[in-house]
Amino acid sequence: MSKKTYIQAITDALRLELGSDEKTLIFGEDVGKNGGVFRATDGLQAEFGEDRVFDTPLAESGIGGLSIGLALEGFRPIPEIQFLGFIFETMDSIAGQMSRERFRTGGTRHMPITIRSPYGGGTHTPEMHADSLEGYLAQIPGLRVVTPSNPYDAKGLLISSIRNNDPVFFLENLKLYRSMKADIPDEAYTVPLDKANVVREGTDISLIAYSAQVNQSLKVAEKLEKEGISVEVVDLRTLSPLDEDTILKSVEKTGRAVAIQEAQRQAGIAANVASLIAEKGALYLSAPVGRVSAPDTVYPFGLAEDDWLPAEDEIEAKTREILNY
Amino acid sequence: MDNEKPIVDFSEIRDALGKNFEPVQVMDGQANVVNQAIVSKYSNDQLVDFLKLMIWERTLHQRSNALTRQGRLGFYAPTEGQEASEMGSNSAMKSTDVLMPAYRDIPQLIQHGLPVYKAFLWSRGHVLGNEYPEDLHAMPPQIIIGAQYIQAAGVALGIKKNGTEDKVAYSYTGDGGTSQGDFYEGMNFAGAFQAPAVFIVQNNGYAISVPRRKQTAARTLAQKAVAAGIPSVQVDGMDFLAVHEVTKAAREYAAAGNGPVMIETLTYRFGPHTNAGDDPKRYRTKEEEQPWFDNDPLIRYRKYLTDQGVWSEDLENEYVEQVKADIKAAVKQADEAPKQKMTEFLENVFEEQPQNIQQQITEYQAKESK
Ligand SMILES: Cc1ncc(C[n+]2csc(CCOP(=O)(O)OP(=O)(O)O)c2C)c(N)n1
Ligand SMILES: [Mg+2]
């Protein structure tokens, strides 16, 4: 066991997988000598050489297409897109190509690609650096969308993603990179894909969240506990496809739910969660499903970020509203 | 059979690629004039004004650096070392030309008409920094590498379709930016439509940590225009007059209806990529940096004008103080910007508000009136 930050847990997973599978490759912008702009790949080129860990020319569509070609040649690519806001440049390779290969080749080809990318607000970045775009990705058949909320899951989910033979979009929360530390095992371990996690058990209401919003939800749960309110917190971990069983089981137990996301409201993950509950768990409910999200604007200018991002007090207020419905 | 000569010798073809690009120079690194005819075109006053542009940019850089450290600016991409490349090219343009800049092109934007306090507000993350008056023919700095290039082709085509005389679109990107699809598409589209665009590539040696040589096997970036069928040139990007003259000629060529031009300036980013934690020590050496620092565009040009007796330390100090005072006033003006409102953001999503936006405006109105 060692104390690791969220980003150190990611580096750890990458190092272990580079070491155990010689077909893994890490590439992207500034991932080599510089170790990534956040140092997620720090030291990996020095340890594994430039053949395994290398910088590409500056072109996201190139990085996506290269991943597909390398996968066809038997490699297990782990490309990095420097910020999630830059995926639009490579959306064809993600949505139009790699996630369809297994299907369009009748199962004769597969794409064991794990795209890593940081996202999320609260660190005062320029435009296009903080957007939560998981909703766009979640509608792509054949692509898993995974995002950890803590160092333990970051390592275990990343290892599972890399070992998985289908494409995974692995979202790393920028704000959590260095703000969270936890004791995690030194050796390789996996955390299952497609499985949500009940991170806190409760009986009165279910807060269903992911990434940084899990931590905010846990704080709300602790606060309400002092008033005798028992809040369950579910960490989705895999955003697409959703772990329906865990969500429905939780709602069956508590009878009330709030779905939480940092992204804009329309057509997001929280909407998926709410529609799932409406479709398959409506009879468990004693109140409508609540939703907490950012408003439907473009991600705002840095100085206004804190007014825009869903805050702990908004989660708390919505939780109380649904409890008292 | 094996020793038969192949039908074409690809090694020979490869070795010849890009060989015809030689950087244009007017004044060398020791301030020797290598093209007197160009220098003679300008009066001493004009030559001094050019120097002032570079000193202005250097001072703006130094103040921006300090303000960033004090937490009084947000995002800042240092421009030190690129003064000849940025001011030399921008000063060859007209205020009616349309500038499509990237994040390192703030000095050009300001010279094109953006008030300094707005540049600061952009850096801090305030919408006022992006609200441009109608007579400022520019877009806010582009963050997505390459996007401005293909848009510049669109602006240029629009200028052509509107039949506007003596007007061009001009756009900047970096050496890294030349790897993007949008870069090639921008040049190719502008070429296909024979649109009046001037594409400027500031080759400052690095895309964050990635050196220019890792971006492409091409010997020069200028030669990337060849495949688009548009003329291009490499220029000593530390030589103000060379950049200025080349850009002026490019502008005249494009404005005359001959189609687009591409210019590669050879320059160097003296500082970090941005002030958000980049550390050049991780990817480049002192030995590499020093010759570039010695090749500072201000040093050679200042020396030349000082030798000519038209510039002095006193004049420079006096001018720098004036620039600093202007910057100080701009910071004050930026500080006075009102707090941004969520309701105003919501009002700028669509022209006509759909239900979701109307509801959210109502919700935030309640919060804002508290
Ligand atoms: C589409 C896209 N990909 C990546 C980035 C991140 N990024 C910002 S600047 C930069 C390097 C750009 O290098 P270059 O084009 O040489 O311009 P310079 O910064 O040197 O002026 C990178 C990779 C981005 N902003 N947009
Ligand atoms: Mg560069």
Side-chain angles (χ1 to χ4, degrees):
Chain A
M1 292 288 240
S2 322
K3 264 222 164 358
K4 295 255 159 79
T5 60
Y6 184 98
I7 193 166
Q8 285 168 338
I10 286 162
T11 313
D12 214 20
L14 294 171
R15 179 180 292 109
L16 287 163
E17 293 309 287
L18 281 169
S20 65
D21 180 351
E22 61 177 21
K23 290 295 187 188
T24 50
L25 298 173
I26 291 177
F27 50 89
E29 294 156 11
D30 305 286
V31 301
K33 213 174 194 179
N34 204 32
V37 292
F38 293 103
R39 315 290 179 240
T41 55
D42 196 16
L44 298 182
Q45 187 180 74
E47 189 173 341
F48 295 96
E50 218 177 324
D51 272 352
R52 304 281 309 283
V53 181
F54 54 94
D55 290 329
T56 63
L58 202 175
E60 288 73 18
S61 63
I63 293 168
L66 197 74
S67 304
I68 294 168
L70 285 164
L72 286 172
E73 275 297 297
F75 288 93
R76 192 168 285 275
I78 316 171
E80 175 180 299
I81 298 295
Q82 199 163 76
F83 286 86
L84 186 60
F86 311 154
I87 51 163
F88 296 111
E89 316 298 300
T90 188
M91 217 50 186
D92 177 58
S93 58
I94 299 167
Q97 309 292 332
M98 68 176 72
S99 56
R100 295 175 183 231
E101 291 308 3
R102 180 182 293 283
F103 184 83
R104 69 188 279 265
T105 62
T108 61
R109 299 289 184 279
H110 65 277
M111 292 281 125
I113 300 169
T114 301
I115 307 175
R116 299 177 35 253
S117 193
Y119 79 122
T123 63
H124 299 289
T125 49
E127 254 181 307
M128 303 293 289
H129 283 66
D131 294 60
S132 287
L133 305 176
E134 63 277 13
Y136 294 69
L137 297 168
Q139 213 194 12
I140 300 170
L143 180 74
R144 281 190 174 80
V145 183
V146 173
T147 189
S149 70
N150 60 68
Y152 181 88
D153 284 353
K155 179 169 171 178
L157 285 170
L158 182 52
I159 291 177
S160 297
S161 301
I162 294 169
R163 294 182 185 174
N164 190 278
N165 281 337
D166 288 309
V168 174
F169 207 107
F170 193 84
L171 296 159
E172 302 170 1
N173 190 285
L174 260 170
K175 205 175 173 180
L176 299 184
Y177 264 164
R178 289 189 165 76
S179 64
M180 267 193 112
K181 252 191 172 173
D183 263 323
I184 61 168
D186 293 323
E187 64 280 3
Y189 61 89
T190 58
V191 168
L193 304 178
D194 305 341
K195 284 273 169 273
N197 189 24
V198 178
V199 288
R200 183 190 168 101
E201 303 224 17
T203 51
D204 297 334
I205 189 164
S206 305
L207 302 189
I208 301 161
Y210 56 97
S211 196
Q213 299 304 321
V214 171
N215 302 297
Q216 296 217 92
S217 301
L218 283 169
K219 284 188 198 148
V220 171
E222 274 161 38
K223 186 167 177 197
L224 295 185
E225 186 181 29
K226 297 190 187 104
E227 299 173 23
I229 301 166
S230 168
V231 178
E232 176 146 306
V233 179
V234 179
D235 178 354
L236 290 174
R237 298 198 296 201
T238 296
L239 308 183
S240 180
L242 282 177
D243 173 5
E244 301 194 356
D245 291 348
T246 302
I247 296 168
L248 292 169
K249 234 171 90 189
S250 176
V251 178
E252 183 176 13
K253 178 168 71 169
T254 62
R256 295 170 197 267
V258 177
I260 301 150
Q261 68 181 21
E262 182 176 311
Q264 292 84 343
R265 192 173 168 83
Q266 60 199 354
I269 303 296
N272 278 359
V273 169
S275 75
L276 164 74
I277 298 170
E279 190 183 9
K280 298 188 179 170
L283 300 182
Y284 305 144
L285 292 174
S286 340
V289 178
R291 244 198 305 165
V292 177
S293 72
D296 288 320
T297 75
V298 173
Y299 195 91
F301 303 87
L303 284 177
E305 206 175 28
D306 293 340
D307 293 338
W308 188 88
L309 291 166
E312 215 178 293
D313 60 355
E314 285 170 63
I315 300 175
E316 184 187 330
K318 185 55 82 177
T319 306
R320 289 185 190 280
E321 180 193 324
I322 301 301
L323 276 166
N324 300 324
Y325 185 82
Chain B
M1 278 292 271
D2 278 356
N3 345 337
E4 242 178 62
K5 232 174 118 69
I7 187 163
V8 283
D9 185 342
F10 285 111
S11 306
E12 198 175 291
I13 294 172
R14 178 199 60 209
D15 291 345
L17 290 174
K19 273 215 160 138
N20 47 340
F21 288 93
E22 272 296 321
V24 175
Q25 213 176 39
V26 171
M27 190 185 289
D28 73 13
Q30 279 68 51
N32 302 311
V33 172
V34 297
N35 188 336
Q36 187 59 49
I38 299 294
V39 180
S40 304
K41 278 169 62 177
Y42 295 99
S43 69
N44 280 340
D45 281 353
Q46 283 172 314
L47 292 174
V48 165
D49 283 346
F50 288 158
L51 177 61
K52 281 181 162 177
L53 280 174
M54 287 202 285
I55 294 171
W56 169 82
E57 177 168 339
R58 181 65 57 89
T59 309
L60 177 70
H61 158 76
Q62 287 164 344
R63 292 308 303 144
S64 300
N65 242 354
L67 289 164
T68 312
R69 270 197 300 273
Q70 297 161 15
R72 302 189 70 189
L73 281 186
F75 175 72
Y76 175 61
T79 57
E80 192 177 27
Q82 298 186 213
E83 291 85 355
S85 172
E86 300 198 333
M87 290 298 101
S89 55
N90 194 73
S91 59
M93 296 298 173
K94 296 202 167 165
S95 65
T96 44
D97 293 337
V98 181
L99 168 58
M100 303 294 278
Y103 51 87
R104 210 180 298 283
D105 307 317
I106 310 307
Q108 297 99 299
L109 260 174
I110 294 172
Q111 289 299 331
H112 205 56
L114 181 70
V116 180
Y117 84 94
K118 282 196 180 255
F120 288 166
L121 284 170
W122 172 80
S123 163
R124 290 179 184 181
H126 196 297
V127 64
L128 261 182
N130 284 18
E131 290 177 14
Y132 288 9
E134 213 163 313
D135 61 352
L136 172 51
H137 303 283
M139 283 298 281
Q142 181 56 250
I143 290 293
I144 293 302
I145 309 282
Q148 70 277 22
Y149 253 54
I150 184 69
Q151 293 172 19
V155 173
L157 181 57
I159 291 169
K160 183 175 174 176
K161 285 189 182 300
N162 279 327
T164 319
E165 300 272 313
D166 193 30
K167 179 173 173 136
V168 304
Y170 68 113
S171 188
Y172 291 88
T173 194
D175 42 302
T178 67
S179 296
Q180 283 283 30
D182 278 356
F183 167 81
Y184 293 99
E185 290 169 29
M187 288 196 304
N188 192 53
F189 272 47
F193 294 118
Q194 289 293 289
V198 177
F199 295 110
I200 298 155
V201 173
Q202 296 196 73
N203 175 359
N204 65 2
Y206 285 87
I208 308 186
S209 70
V210 181
R212 145 68 184 90
R213 78 188 130 77
K214 289 201 174 166
Q215 288 295 339
T216 174
R219 188 190 301 269
T220 67
L221 301 177
Q223 78 202 63
K224 291 190 174 200
V226 173
I230 74 176
S232 58
V233 67
Q234 225 183 22
V235 54
D236 178 349
M238 299 308 213
D239 180 352
F240 184 100
L241 290 174
V243 177
H244 182 81
E245 282 302 300
V246 161
T247 314
K248 212 166 125 190
R251 190 198 174 279
E252 274 161 23
Y253 173 91
N258 297 305
V261 182
M262 192 265 247
I263 299 165
E264 175 189 3
T265 68
L266 298 173
T267 178
Y268 199 73
R269 192 193 76 212
F270 284 8
H273 170 66
T274 69
N275 277 9
D278 179 53
D279 177 9
K281 283 200 287 294
R282 290 177 72 94
Y283 52 81
R284 67 190 199 195
T285 61
K286 276 249 148 342
E287 292 70 50
E288 178 197 308
E289 287 174 345
Q290 197 54 52
W292 280 106
F293 294 162
D294 296 340
N295 199 13
D296 186 326
L298 274 79
I299 295 179
R300 78 169 79 161
Y301 197 70
R302 183 194 284 121
K303 179 176 180 328
Y304 175 77
L305 291 187
T306 309
D307 290 350
Q308 297 294 306
V310 296
W311 193 249
S312 68
E313 216 178 303
D314 285 349
L315 285 171
E316 178 146 346
N317 289 340
E318 191 184 319
Y319 180 62
V320 166
E321 284 316 308
Q322 181 194 323
V323 175
K324 280 190 189 165
D326 291 347
I327 292 171
K328 202 168 164 189
V331 173
K332 191 153 171 279
Q333 197 173 357
D335 289 345
E336 285 159 10
K339 191 173 170 337
Q340 300 174 92
K341 286 199 176 141
M342 296 293 291
T343 44
E344 286 169 13
F345 289 155
L346 283 156
E347 280 158 11
N348 281 326
V349 179
F350 292 106
E351 184 175 12
E352 289 167 26
Q353 319 305 354
Q355 287 176 26
N356 63 329
I357 300 287
Q358 282 176 26
Q359 280 170 21
Q360 291 169 25
I361 288 175
T362 311
E363 283 166 27
Y364 280 101
Q365 267 166 351
K367 284 189 202 172
E368 283 168 5
S369 64
K370 266 189 209 152

